[in-house]
Amino acid sequence: MNPADLGLPVDVPSTALFTDHYELTMLQAALANGTADRRSVFEVFTRRLPEGRRYGVVAGTGRVLDAVENFRFDAAVLEFLRERAVVDMRTLDWLASYRFSGDIWGYPEGEVYFPGSPILRVEGSFAECVLLETVILSILNHDSAIAAAASRMASAAGGRPLIEMGARRTHELAAVAASRAAYVGGFTSTSDLAAGFRYGIPTVGTSAHAFTLVHDTERDAFQAQVASLGSGTTLLVDTYDVAEAVRTAVEVAGTGLGAVRIDSGDLLLVAHRVRQQLDELGATGTRIVVTSDLDEYAIASLAAAPVDAYGVGTQLVTGSGHPTCSMVYKLVARATSADPKAPLVPVAKKSTGGKTSIGGRKWAARRTDAEGVAEAEVVGTGAVPAALADAQLLVQLVKAGEVVAREPLEAARARHREACAGLPLSATQLSRGEPVIPTEYA
């Protein structure tokens, strides 16, 4: 849910300066020599997955659509560019009326991807497409990295709820985007109220150690929290002595205590001891929530522990060791002239050093076996083989400058579950390995 859906005022700033200086200097030179109006095709892809990842997750598509809509050079932005002499007056005049009027196709949000997958395809004049490079990459690289980490954590959790709680570990605006991406990747709630406000993600939270420490005794703190939030609250039990805290918590809240949270120590051992103690005290329905610098490996190690939910912060919002997906935005085809009827020709970077690319406007499809399990990501140019016609992955997101595929966040979340279910079982392995399916070029 967006703030506007609640009838609240929304300040929508221009996204035009979320770009690199050289995008505008390229524009200026292209306007001067007549190549600015050449029809062009740019594609977003990654040459490889982060080390150890078996698949990638497309996230941030909805934010990309918002950024494209709001990519406007208003008076303040134009004045900034003029004062800094970033571009000449002719270019400033052109920017003043900039509106993206082309088409964008892409993998729908929540879908998985592999090396070479044309995750996003942007088509229009060279001038209008080249300006969008930086903002598109900044969104997709960040959000997809977080969603991939979240997906691995969700797989390791085996259906147990995951709480995103990394706002204090990253930039305040990145925290909101990270919460959104984590929700797409399988997390169930967030501690970040801005994310709840902007995107409708369920928010949760009760108390920190400071709340216990500000009271004279732990019992006083628990009594105050239960009086305020009810017996269904979650009490933090590792400020002093865990066993004593659990005993006090049940005495204060009764056997209907909602949950206890453990934030330190040997979580596997402590969780077993706390579960046994809760059961002996009659609080058999009280849940156990664990936090404390968890990642997918720590979550997997707790699979046999009596844990009911996990709270994850630092490792999630930093991509669990891979904070970017190394996606690039490359020109893959362009017209031979500015004539609207001029044919498109493939273009590609051919330099050495592992940074080559494949030219041509591409399609992508996922081939499956007889049981419907993915066996290859097929990428090609030209006509799509009849056998893959119904397995194509790209959908139109923007048509003639108008967004045509905006959807609720829940749709992306559900799509991701479905996409993961269609992968080979080895996709869930946390051990290092190659992409779970190969990329084939047709």
Side-chain angles (χ1 to χ4, degrees):
M1 180 181 295
N2 289 319
D5 297 330
L6 301 173
L8 298 171
V10 183
D11 180 20
V12 182
S14 166
T15 54
L17 291 184
F18 292 149
T19 191
D20 289 307
H21 187 117
Y22 82 164
E23 309 290 9
L24 299 188
T25 53
M26 280 193 288
L27 170 65
Q28 177 176 303
L31 289 171
N33 77 353
T35 54
D37 291 330
R38 286 190 177 188
R39 191 159 51 100
S40 300
V41 179
F42 286 82
E43 288 177 352
V44 175
F45 62 93
T46 184
R47 296 182 176 94
R48 63 192 64 84
L49 296 179
E51 184 179 359
R53 296 288 195 258
R54 314 304 295 274
Y55 60 90
V57 181
V58 178
T61 308
R63 296 208 307 121
V64 165
L65 297 179
D66 291 340
V68 171
E69 279 191 329
N70 297 323
F71 205 89
R72 304 284 188 269
F73 292 82
D74 57 29
V77 170
L78 292 169
E79 180 60 18
F80 166 78
L81 297 175
R82 187 194 65 77
E83 288 180 350
R84 299 294 181 93
V86 175
V87 290
D88 59 21
M89 288 305 300
R90 177 187 179 182
T91 306
L92 288 174
D93 289 342
W94 189 92
L95 292 172
S97 59
Y98 176 86
R99 300 289 186 275
F100 179 73
S101 62
D103 299 332
I104 299 179
W105 294 71
Y107 281 38
E109 190 160 20
E111 184 57 84
V112 296
Y113 70 87
F114 300 91
S117 297
I119 297 163
L120 202 72
R121 189 175 72 224
V122 183
E123 305 180 26
S125 71
F126 175 80
E128 63 180 341
C129 293
V130 74
L131 292 180
L132 298 176
E133 175 182 8
T134 304
V135 70
I136 286 175
L137 287 180
S138 65
I139 292 171
L140 292 180
N141 267 314
H142 173 268
D143 290 23
S144 296
I146 305 305
S151 181
R152 285 162 59 85
M153 293 174 187
S155 177
R160 295 171 179 174
L162 289 157
I163 307 163
E164 184 281 311
M165 47 195 302
R168 63 191 61 191
R169 302 298 188 222
T170 188
H171 184 279
E172 68 273 16
L173 299 182
V176 181
S179 180
R180 182 187 183 282
Y183 194 64
V184 170
F187 274 57
T188 54
S189 57
T190 179
S191 66
D192 192 288
L193 288 175
F197 174 72
R198 185 176 294 272
Y199 298 116
I201 302 169
T203 60
V204 296
T206 51
S207 67
H209 292 102
F211 185 77
T212 300
L213 294 171
V214 77
H215 289 82
D216 294 335
T217 68
E218 193 169 48
R219 180 180 294 274
D220 289 343
F222 289 172
Q223 288 175 333
Q225 185 172 326
V226 170
S228 177
L229 302 177
S231 61
T233 191
T234 299
L235 296 177
L236 182 57
V237 295
D238 73 328
T239 305
Y240 305 117
D241 179 84
V242 173
E244 181 61 30
V246 170
R247 184 178 304 107
T248 302
V250 175
E251 289 176 358
V252 171
T255 56
L257 172 63
V260 295
R261 178 163 74 96
I262 307 167
D263 188 51
S264 59
D266 182 337
L267 297 179
L268 178 63
L269 175 63
V270 175
H272 277 287
R273 288 178 173 173
V274 168
R275 181 73 272 161
Q276 181 179 355
Q277 185 180 10
L278 287 170
D279 291 346
E280 289 173 350
L281 293 171
T284 56
T286 298
R287 295 171 292 111
I288 297 175
V289 179
V290 296
T291 52
S292 185
D293 292 326
L294 299 177
D295 61 9
E296 60 265 49
Y297 301 102
I299 292 169
S301 73
L302 293 168
V307 172
D308 299 285
Y310 306 91
V312 189
T314 303
Q315 291 301 317
L316 175 66
V317 299
T318 57
S320 195
H322 297 291
T324 182
C325 301
S326 298
M327 293 178 186
V328 294
Y329 183 95
K330 296 298 180 182
L331 181 66
V332 297
R334 52 87 174 167
T336 55
S337 73
D339 185 338
K341 297 181 180 179
L344 284 173
V345 295
V347 295
K349 182 177 180 179
K350 298 300 183 184
S351 61
T352 58
K355 287 192 174 184
T356 59
S357 56
I358 299 173
R361 182 180 186 272
K362 300 175 192 68
W363 51 263
R366 190 161 300 144
R367 192 176 69 238
T368 59
D369 62 19
E371 297 180 350
V373 178
E375 60 179 16
E377 192 89 338
V378 185
V379 178
T381 59
V384 181
L388 296 174
D390 295 331
Q392 294 187 73
L393 292 163
L394 280 79
V395 300
Q396 189 155 25
L397 303 170
V398 176
K399 183 176 182 179
E402 298 296 326
V403 174
V404 296
R406 186 168 275 112
E407 62 182 5
L409 197 56
E410 291 292 345
R413 178 177 165 85
R415 181 180 296 112
H416 181 61
R417 288 196 298 267
E418 182 178 353
C420 286
L423 295 177
L425 187 59
S426 56
T428 62
Q429 293 177 341
L430 296 181
S431 57
R432 297 188 182 279
E434 296 299 314
V436 70
I437 60 173
T439 301
E440 298 178 359
Y441 293 94

